[in-house]
Amino acid sequence: AAGPAGFYLGLSLALASSALIGGSFILKKKGLLRLCCRGRVRAGQGGHTYLQEWLWWAGLLCMGAGEAANFAAYAFAPATLVTPLGALSVLVSAVLSSTFLNEQLNVHGKIGCILSILGSMVMVIHAPQEEEVCSLKSMAEKLKDPGFIVFAVCVLVSSLLLIFVAGPRYGQSNVLVYVSVCSVIGSLSVSCVKGLGIALKELFSGKPVLKEPLGWVLLVCLVICISIQMNYLNKALDIFNTSVVTPVYYVQFTTAVMMCSVILFKEWQHMVLDNIIGTISGFLTIVFGIFLLHAFRDMPFTLDLLPLFLQQGRGDLDTSWRSTDKHQSRQHQPLLPSEDKGSQREEEDSESM
C-alpha cells in the first residue's frame, strides 16, 4: 500500500494498537482482582496463580496483538504520526478503568482525555501523508546521510554521559536522568522498527530481503536498544512514582522520535508551514492532556466543588467548604478567598485536639 491508502492503513493500525494495549491493562487487572477475591497468593507477594486465569492471558494476548499492530503501523504511516498516537492507549486505559474497575476519573482526568483526543485529531489532519522511505535500499541511503550520523553520534554520547556520569550522581533524585536514556535510545529503536517493517513488506512481496545484511543489522540494533530501554525504564519506575514517569517519558520519547524522523526520514521536507505548526500544536495538546490525566490523578477534586468558587456569599462558601473532608480542604485552600489568620489558627488547634 502506498500513498493515501497506506497512510490510512497505518493510521488504522496505530489506533487499533492503542485500543488493544489500553484494553490489555484492564483485562490483566481484572484477572488479578478475581484471583485476589478467591484468596489466592497475589502477584505482588510472589504468587504466579495468575497463569491459571484466562482473563490475564486474554490481556497478554491483547497486548501482543497491540504491539504487533503498532509494529506494522510504522511500515505504512510516518513515525511522526504513529508515535504520538501511542498516548491514546493511556486514555483508553483510564476510561475503561473508570468503567470496569470503578477507579475514579476526576475532572482533571476527563479534561485530559478530551485534550488528548483533540490533539490526536489535529495531528492526524496535519501529519505528513507521503512516505520518504519505501525500500531497504532507500533506507540504507538515508542511514548514510551526514545529518543522521551526527544525530546518532549525539544520541550515543549523551546516553553514555547519562549512564556513567549523571546516573551515579543524580539518578536516584532526578527523574530526567534514566527517562532521558530511554527516550533518546528509543528514537533509534523506532527507526529500527520502521526499517524492519519495510523489510517485512518487501519480504511478503517476494523480494530476497533475507540476503540483505541491513535487515539483520537493524534487528540486532533493535534488540540492544529495547534491552537498554527496558532496563532504565524499570529503574525509573522503581525509584519514582508512575504518575511522574509516564508523562515525562511520553513527552521526551515522542520528541526524540519526531526529531529522528525529521532528520532520517525527512518526513517534514514536503510539509507546508501550516501543517508543521499543526503537528506541533497537536502534539503539545496531547502532552497537556496526558499531564492533566496523570499529575492530578490522586487529587480528590470533583464537579461538586466547582460551584464553590462561583458563590458570592462568603458565609455559604465557608459552610460548604467545611463540609468537605479535611484532605480536600488542604489541597484546595490556596484557591479560596483569604480568611482571618486568627480564625484559621483556632480551627487548626480545635482539629488537632
Side-chain angles (χ1 to χ4, degrees):
F7 173 82
Y8 289 116
L9 177 58
L11 173 61
S12 302
L13 287 167
L15 294 175
S17 168
S18 295
L20 287 167
I21 292 174
S24 71
F25 290 111
I26 308 306
L27 288 171
K28 283 184 177 181
K29 182 74 174 179
K30 199 79 174 173
L32 293 172
L33 288 174
R34 283 178 61 172
L35 290 172
C36 185
C37 292
R38 293 175 195 163
R40 303 289 183 88
V41 180
R42 300 178 65 175
Q45 298 170 347
H48 297 284
T49 51
Y50 56 83
L51 295 174
Q52 301 170 7
E53 176 58 51
W54 69 270
L55 267 177
W56 186 87
W57 282 105
L60 186 66
L61 289 173
C62 268
M63 179 164 281
E67 293 295 348
N70 190 57
F71 181 92
Y74 281 108
F76 297 100
T80 305
L81 173 69
V82 177
T83 304
L85 288 181
L88 293 180
S89 63
V90 180
L91 184 149
V92 170
S93 179
V95 172
L96 292 180
S97 64
S98 67
T99 306
F100 296 104
L101 299 177
N102 298 321
E103 294 182 5
Q104 181 129 13
L105 190 64
N106 59 15
V107 178
H108 303 90
K110 291 172 183 176
I111 295 172
C113 289
I114 294 170
L115 285 175
S116 297
I117 293 171
L118 292 175
S120 301
M121 290 172 63
V122 171
M123 286 208 73
V124 170
I125 293 169
H126 294 283
Q129 298 199 8
E130 293 298 324
E131 278 286 33
E132 296 296 329
V133 179
C134 300
S135 65
L136 273 184
K137 185 178 179 182
S138 59
M139 180 80 178
E141 292 174 359
K142 297 287 185 184
L143 290 172
K144 295 175 185 175
D145 186 74
F148 175 72
I149 292 172
V150 171
F151 175 78
V153 170
C154 290
V155 165
L156 294 174
V157 171
S158 61
S159 299
L160 290 173
L161 289 173
L162 286 168
I163 292 170
F164 295 108
V165 179
R169 295 182 182 180
Y170 310 109
Q172 300 292 320
S173 59
N174 194 327
V175 69
L176 295 176
V177 177
Y178 291 139
V179 173
S180 297
V181 175
C182 302
S183 303
V184 294
I185 293 294
S187 65
L188 297 181
S189 67
V190 166
S191 302
C192 294
V193 166
K194 192 165 181 66
L196 288 171
I198 293 168
L200 285 175
K201 215 164 49 163
E202 288 192 322
L203 180 64
F204 292 139
S205 65
K207 295 182 181 178
V209 177
L210 296 177
K211 296 179 181 178
E212 293 284 339
L214 179 60
W216 297 104
V217 171
L218 290 174
L219 181 60
V220 171
C221 291
L222 178 62
V223 171
I224 294 171
C225 289
I226 290 178
S227 301
I228 295 171
Q229 278 181 267
M230 289 180 64
N231 180 41
Y232 287 98
L233 185 58
N234 286 333
K235 281 190 175 185
L237 289 171
D238 187 47
I239 298 168
F240 304 99
N241 197 312
T242 308
S243 61
V244 175
V245 173
T246 303
V248 172
Y249 176 60
Y250 171 77
V251 173
Q252 287 197 337
F253 173 68
T254 310
T255 304
V257 170
M258 290 173 71
M259 285 176 60
C260 185
S261 299
V262 170
I263 295 168
L264 176 60
F265 301 115
K266 308 285 193 298
E267 289 180 348
W268 292 13
Q269 190 172 15
H270 302 297
M271 288 174 67
V272 296
L273 183 61
D274 293 352
N275 286 337
I276 292 174
I277 294 172
T279 300
I280 295 172
S281 300
F283 170 58
L284 292 176
T285 306
I286 297 174
V287 167
F288 287 125
I290 295 296
F291 175 76
L292 283 174
L293 191 60
H294 277 275
F296 301 101
R297 184 170 56 185
D298 299 324
M299 182 175 286
F301 189 92
T302 61
L303 284 170
D304 298 334
L305 291 175
L306 287 178
L308 298 178
F309 303 107
L310 305 176
Q311 291 178 8
Q312 299 295 326
R314 190 169 177 181
D316 294 340
L317 180 62
D318 292 343
T319 305
S320 303
W321 188 256
R322 287 192 188 98
S323 67
T324 61
D325 85 294
K326 184 178 175 182
H327 180 60
Q328 289 179 349
S329 66
R330 292 198 173 217
Q331 288 200 348
H332 296 283
Q333 200 167 2
L335 299 177
L336 294 172
S338 59
E339 297 179 351
D340 180 64
K341 293 182 180 178
S343 61
Q344 281 187 2
R345 201 173 291 113
E346 287 176 8
E347 273 186 32
E348 291 176 359
D349 291 338
S350 62
E351 286 174 355
S352 62
M353 291 179 66

